[in-house]
Amino acid sequence: MILAVLCSATTSAQETPFASLLEQRQSGVVIQKWDLSCGAAALATILNFQHGESFSEREIAAMLIDRPEYLAHPWIIRARHGFSLLDLKRVSERLGYRGIGLGGLSIEDLDQRAPIIVPVDLSGYPHFVIYRGRSGDEVVLADPAYGMRTMPLKRFEQALMIDPELGHLGFTVLSHQTQQGRAAAQLTNDQFLVAQP
């Protein structure tokens, strides 16, 4: 009888899925593998988990870099600290989506448009993360360099980068059938160029 109970407990334990803390943290986020690929990983995350695609960071990065000026002068990407929002828009549209850059965003605007890619400075360098929403006084982020994380709202507001002309920026990807919610200042292609992490 003891043997039967032990066998039953072992079988039950084997059937229960187990995920490490690292696997749990990285679930639902495409993790970046290169220092300047947060834009590629953030875009892959949005496409995969909001639109049902299955792109790797590498595939999106290859599409982002597939421009004559980047192929001829790859140092441009390093000089700009990665890809711009215009680069993300071009790839989104190449894949049949609407990439929309927005300026003048408040935290409430981010809440309404979540998930939305935003540029932040968390550790002394520009970086793209996905704002997923708020839980009380904490924001929920999908960070390509870390995974899912929460952060106090005040710290996030300090880390959120501000363009001197456009204010707080965000980038959202919609299918062509999706209608955008509340009106916000949409960026022109020239404004996209200055909007980089």
Side-chain angles (χ1 to χ4, degrees):
M1 178 149 159
I2 294 175
L3 181 59
V5 172
L6 288 176
C7 288
S8 171
T10 303
T11 304
S12 175
Q14 291 172 346
E15 292 173 6
T16 303
F18 174 78
S20 70
L21 291 176
L22 179 65
E23 290 168 325
Q24 290 176 36
R25 187 178 78 210
Q26 293 180 352
S27 177
V29 184
V30 175
I31 300 297
Q32 73 183 81
K33 299 195 178 23
W34 304 292
D35 59 345
L36 299 176
S37 65
C38 59
L43 183 54
T45 298
I46 292 285
L47 292 171
N48 293 352
F49 298 104
Q50 267 58 58
H51 295 286
E53 300 285 357
S54 60
F55 289 105
S56 69
E57 170 202 24
R58 181 188 261 324
E59 290 171 310
I60 297 295
M63 287 185 257
L64 287 166
I65 202 166
D66 188 24
R67 298 193 50 218
E69 63 269 26
Y70 292 159
L71 295 172
H73 309 286
W75 57 266
I76 293 173
I77 298 165
R78 184 161 297 283
R80 290 183 180 167
H81 300 285
F83 297 102
S84 69
L85 291 178
L86 181 56
D87 294 322
L88 301 182
K89 175 183 172 66
R90 286 178 175 144
V91 169
S92 298
E93 292 180 353
R94 181 174 161 187
L95 295 170
Y97 292 92
R98 291 175 52 214
I100 302 173
L102 301 166
L105 297 174
S106 67
I107 295 296
E108 290 75 22
D109 293 329
L110 295 179
D111 288 336
Q112 290 183 355
R113 288 176 172 77
I116 184 168
I117 298 172
V118 294
V120 295
D121 182 345
L122 297 171
S123 304
Y125 61 92
H127 182 55
F128 283 130
V129 298
I130 297 133
Y131 179 89
R132 290 252 169 109
R134 271 193 281 183
S135 178
D137 290 336
E138 302 264 311
V139 297
V140 179
L141 303 175
D143 184 343
Y146 181 80
M148 292 300 293
R149 67 188 300 178
T150 59
M151 175 183 297
L153 177 60
K154 293 227 184 268
R155 180 167 179 238
F156 175 73
E157 289 174 321
Q158 293 168 346
L160 198 56
M161 295 176 71
I162 299 176
D163 180 90
E165 295 176 22
L166 305 172
H168 294 295
L169 304 174
F171 180 78
T172 189
V173 178
L174 303 173
S175 68
H176 282 285
Q177 294 80 27
T178 307
Q179 296 296 315
Q180 183 67 10
R182 266 183 49 212
Q186 291 192 15
L187 305 183
T188 65
N189 280 354
D190 289 339
Q191 292 170 321
F192 266 109
L193 288 174
V194 299
Q196 54 196 19

